[in-house]
Amino acid sequence: MPTFTPDRSLLNPKFDGYKFSPLEYDEVTAHYPLEHKLSQTNVSGRAPLSFQEVQSRVLHNHLAICSQSKRAVYVDADLRVIGIDLDETALKPAFRVLCELPRPIQSSAVDSLQREYPSAAFVDATSLLVADGYGTLYALRLGDVGPAEVLAAYELSIPAAYESSQTTVPSRLHQAISPDGQSIIAVLSSKHYPKNAPEPSQKSHKPPPVKFDVWGVQIALPIVTAPQAQPLQIVWHRRGDDVPLYVTYDASRQAFLFVGSSSYLPINIDPTPSYEPSPDEIAPIPRKDENLDGAPAATSDLPKPPPYSWTQTEDMVTVAIPLPSDTPTSHIKVAFSPRTLTVLVEGAPTAPTADVPVVVPRYTLKALWDEIRPGSSLWTFDRAAERTYGMLTLHLDKAHEGTRWPQVFAAAGQGGPDGEEEVPETLDPSELYAIREALEKYTAALRDGSDASGLGLGKGVPSLGQGERDDDVDLSVGKSACVTWVGVGGAHPAWLGKDGHGDDAPLQLLSTPFPGSSGTHKPSLVAKNGLDGVVYTLQPGSNLEDPPKWEHTATYSALAFVLASKRDTRFVHHITSKAVFALESGTQDLGGNVYIYRGAGVKENWAKQTVLKVGGGAAGALLGVGLMKVQGKVAVLCLCEGELVILHDVL
């Protein structure tokens, strides 16, 4: 059973859009210049980067947030680890140099590997791990003031069993936890360099496939200092097609959650191959009135007709219910109310029979999807004497003209005693013909560039829009993502399959939680559902065997639609059901924007949208973001190349 299932009651088909709600820029932002600046151009190497590596570097968050305190760190262009302590009263940051990491000496005569951006992760408020991007991991102890104490250095030594041509590789640090107080478990990722990699073809420009390793390494506590780098103890290993987009730890299940464009599997487990049917398994398509089985189809195998059919206009919903043509009009009882419908037919069969195979529906105060006007609603019955069935037609006058009903009854398509099958809307032949004719005219107009409106608006696409339309891009908003679980010790949880990622189809991921929010909010994902963004929240488990339950807790209506036009976003993060932040990177000349889409209730037609500028000019491009909760309020830290911008009181 899929674990990501939307709740229809939390979807809002009446939603109209987002209205701009301006904020006073100087009242909600604070700017602090950086003495120690960052750079996104200090990653060097001779080997060309694959698309996955480029994308990973673009999405890399240079800011690490401590969820247990008001503390953050980043690594500047000269490999200095800079600490940021945020004053809770004034929301003013204090910067200090924690340590300066040694820079490895690289010779131009040696073909060095592509290094990673430096990365950091807090174990707790006083313990910090920092990866320098060259392959060394440092353990630091932080105090309230002054520099940090460098306790030890570690290197990831890759055993031969992992079939790597390199013994040490640059790595990226994703998370660090201490599950039992006896050790630290850190999650690293690195590019896989296979031993017997084929030589790149001179004829083909297609790059060779790239794989990425995900490592779970252990550091014993207390940390033992040593003058030389110590080898890391590998607890578990997985391999996938990309760098994880989101990593978190679920303490209730003692397992890591990975969200990435592929599943992450042990190297001794191959991905499930796609099923290809054999020629004998492909059934031919029968022609009209052709029976390929040579025997008449059983009546019980025929699909059961729906209990009614329906269609709608701007102001009317028409419901047609088949009744036996000999039904007396006096036996038909229909009652309308603003929110309910009652339809009772005396003497109607309660079960299918040979003469009447269709069961007449009985509705007693059945809740409608929307309100109607009872006084102007009516019903008719056409006996059609020469036919077996007549037609009971209900004409429901909409109370809200122009509102499109997705279904007739509120409980259609849901389980429970009041639920019933969902009946799709049908169209009468004349309306279908009009739609088809309009589509043919529109298609012809697109083909020859003529004016389809007939209003003299010109031909073709405006000059500024030439070459800019891309339907595939508009439909592919978000990132395809798979969910993989790994036990803290490397074992697959018992409630998953042998490969550790279950049977769920990939999600179209729109947003992940803000870095730093794990201490105050449950893990959640925003996935694409039509034009909407559905918030799935992971509920805590009652024990280690409790399978993960992703509950649909909120909906950002039309979020996928508005994000489709934001092609330059670098980070998209959300704060539960309150707001989604789409942050552009920007450049030195042109600053990026932060688009804030606030959540709205299921019955609300409009939601608020805010746009703020971050970066640009001396501040440079946006390179990192994080969230802190200060005195019950949310503060968003935006780390630019030369400036720290703090957004506050934006919700």
Side-chain angles (χ1 to χ4, degrees):
M1 177 180 178
T3 53
F4 295 95
T5 304
D7 184 352
R8 293 169 56 91
S9 65
L10 295 180
L11 301 178
N12 184 8
K14 298 182 181 180
F15 186 77
D16 290 324
Y18 289 89
K19 290 184 177 180
F20 182 65
S21 176
L23 295 174
E24 289 295 333
Y25 183 78
D26 295 334
E27 295 181 2
V28 298
T29 61
H31 300 257
Y32 301 94
L34 299 179
E35 178 183 355
H36 305 285
K37 303 182 185 303
L38 294 88
S39 175
Q40 56 180 342
T41 60
N42 60 354
V43 176
S44 61
R46 295 186 177 183
L49 292 174
S50 64
F51 172 77
Q52 294 95 322
E53 292 174 283
V54 173
Q55 187 179 47
S56 170
R57 283 158 171 77
V58 170
L59 300 177
H60 179 71
N61 189 2
H62 293 253
L63 184 66
I65 303 289
C66 179
S67 58
Q68 295 99 338
S69 66
K70 307 301 179 287
R71 181 170 287 174
V73 299
Y74 70 91
V75 182
D76 73 354
D78 296 318
L79 288 184
R80 285 186 289 256
V81 182
I82 310 300
I84 305 174
D85 294 292
L86 189 65
D87 182 81
E88 295 193 32
T89 304
L91 285 181
K92 185 176 181 180
F95 301 93
R96 55 174 169 149
V97 179
L98 298 178
C99 71
E100 185 171 351
L101 304 179
R103 185 183 296 272
I105 300 176
Q106 293 183 320
S107 172
S108 59
V110 179
D111 190 10
S112 59
L113 302 177
Q114 283 281 4
R115 60 162 293 202
E116 296 280 352
Y117 282 128
S119 51
F122 283 90
V123 181
D124 51 44
T126 60
S127 302
L128 176 70
L129 297 183
V130 180
D132 64 354
Y134 292 95
T136 305
L137 183 70
Y138 296 89
L140 281 65
R141 179 184 292 128
L142 310 183
D144 294 334
V145 294
E149 179 185 0
V150 180
L151 300 178
Y154 302 90
E155 286 185 350
L156 179 65
S157 299
I158 303 178
Y162 296 101
E163 302 176 349
S164 175
S165 62
Q166 307 291 327
T167 55
T168 59
V169 293
S171 59
R172 174 179 170 183
L173 177 61
H174 292 270
Q175 193 171 27
I177 63 165
S178 179
D180 53 5
Q182 304 296 319
S183 63
I184 296 173
I185 302 295
V187 177
L188 305 173
S189 68
S190 63
K191 179 182 177 181
H192 174 59
Y193 296 88
K195 275 186 177 180
N196 302 317
E199 293 293 332
S201 174
Q202 300 294 332
K203 299 180 180 180
S204 175
H205 297 284
K206 184 178 180 181
V210 180
K211 295 288 185 179
F212 293 86
D213 293 316
V214 178
W215 311 88
V217 298
Q218 186 178 47
I219 300 174
L221 293 177
I223 294 177
V224 178
T225 59
Q228 302 295 330
Q230 308 173 48
L232 286 166
Q233 179 184 352
I234 299 174
V235 180
W236 50 263
H237 166 268
R238 298 293 186 272
R239 185 168 292 166
D241 297 334
D242 211 339
V243 179
L245 296 170
Y246 174 62
V247 180
T248 190
Y249 177 69
D250 184 359
S252 65
R253 297 176 176 87
Q254 295 186 9
F256 287 99
L257 167 67
F258 295 91
V259 179
S261 63
S262 72
S263 54
Y264 297 93
L265 310 176
I267 56 176
N268 57 346
I269 296 181
D270 296 327
T272 304
S274 58
Y275 177 72
E276 294 290 342
S278 63
D280 295 336
E281 295 176 307
I282 300 177
I285 300 175
R287 298 181 179 88
K288 183 179 179 180
D289 300 328
E290 180 183 10
N291 188 354
L292 298 177
D293 295 332
T299 305
S300 59
D301 295 335
L302 296 176
K304 180 183 177 182
Y308 59 88
S309 60
W310 70 284
T311 185
Q312 63 181 314
T313 61
E314 289 292 315
D315 57 355
M316 185 73 66
V317 174
T318 303
V319 182
I321 302 175
L323 296 180
S325 58
D326 58 354
T327 303
T329 307
S330 59
H331 288 188
I332 302 174
K333 308 296 181 184
V334 179
F336 302 104
S337 75
R339 297 292 304 185
T340 64
L341 172 67
T342 298
V343 178
L344 300 175
V345 180
E346 296 181 10
T350 59
T353 63
D355 297 331
V356 184
V358 177
V359 177
V360 178
R362 296 174 58 87
Y363 301 131
T364 304
L365 297 177
K366 188 76 169 179
L368 296 169
W369 186 84
D370 198 7
E371 295 183 13
I372 63 172
R373 296 186 179 95
S376 53
S377 299
L378 54 92
W379 63 273
T380 60
F381 181 53
D382 183 7
R383 293 184 181 278
E386 296 181 357
R387 298 181 180 272
T388 306
Y389 294 98
M391 193 63 65
L392 173 64
T393 306
L394 312 178
H395 304 276
L396 310 179
D397 189 10
K398 293 181 179 179
H400 306 105
E401 293 187 10
T403 300
R404 196 79 182 172
W405 288 28
Q407 59 212 27
V408 176
F409 298 109
Q414 301 180 11
D418 296 330
E420 62 174 43
E421 65 176 299
E422 182 176 359
V423 179
E425 180 183 1
T426 55
L427 299 175
D428 60 77
S430 61
E431 186 176 356
L432 185 61
Y433 175 80
I435 293 175
R436 187 175 298 157
E437 186 180 35
L439 285 175
E440 290 177 356
K441 290 181 179 179
Y442 179 71
T443 305
L446 290 179
R447 191 181 302 114
D448 58 20
S450 61
D451 178 16
S453 65
L455 300 176
L457 300 179
K459 298 182 178 181
V461 181
S463 58
L464 291 177
Q466 290 288 351
E468 297 298 324
R469 292 193 338 180
D470 194 335
D471 294 336
D472 292 337
V473 171
D474 292 338
L475 293 174
S476 62
V477 60
K479 303 177 181 67
S480 178
C482 300
V483 173
T484 305
W485 289 89
V486 180
V488 67
H492 290 306
W495 30 263
L496 284 181
K498 64 177 183 178
D499 52 9
H501 64 86
D503 299 326
D504 290 305
L507 293 171
Q508 201 68 15
L509 187 66
L510 298 179
S511 172
T512 56
F514 257 104
S517 63
S518 59
T520 55
H521 301 113
K522 300 176 183 177
S524 59
L525 302 172
V526 178
K528 182 176 181 290
N529 182 62
L531 297 179
D532 300 334
V534 173
V535 182
Y536 292 107
T537 303
L538 179 64
Q539 302 303 319
S542 57
N543 53 64
L544 298 182
E545 285 74 29
D546 194 9
K549 180 182 179 182
W550 293 91
E551 182 180 346
H552 178 186
T553 54
T555 302
Y556 289 100
S557 299
L559 179 65
F561 177 77
V562 296
L563 289 181
S565 62
K566 309 298 183 293
R567 310 310 304 178
D568 297 326
T569 54
R570 186 166 195 161
F571 307 107
V572 182
H573 297 300
H574 62 274
I575 306 174
T576 59
S577 61
K578 295 181 179 179
V580 172
F581 289 66
L583 302 101
E584 293 178 338
S585 174
T587 61
Q588 188 171 3
D589 299 327
L590 299 174
N593 291 325
V594 178
Y595 300 92
I596 305 175
Y597 301 99
R598 293 180 176 86
V602 179
K603 300 298 183 181
E604 298 181 26
N605 291 359
W606 298 93
K608 294 181 180 180
Q609 171 191 356
T610 301
V611 182
L612 299 172
K613 185 177 180 181
V614 173
L622 176 68
L623 298 182
V625 293
L627 180 141
M628 290 185 181
K629 199 164 186 180
V630 182
Q631 296 182 349
K633 296 183 179 180
V634 168
V636 177
L637 278 63
C638 302
L639 183 67
C640 302
E641 289 178 297
E643 187 177 77
L644 177 67
V645 182
I646 299 179
L647 308 180
H648 56 88
D649 298 317
V650 294
L651 299 181

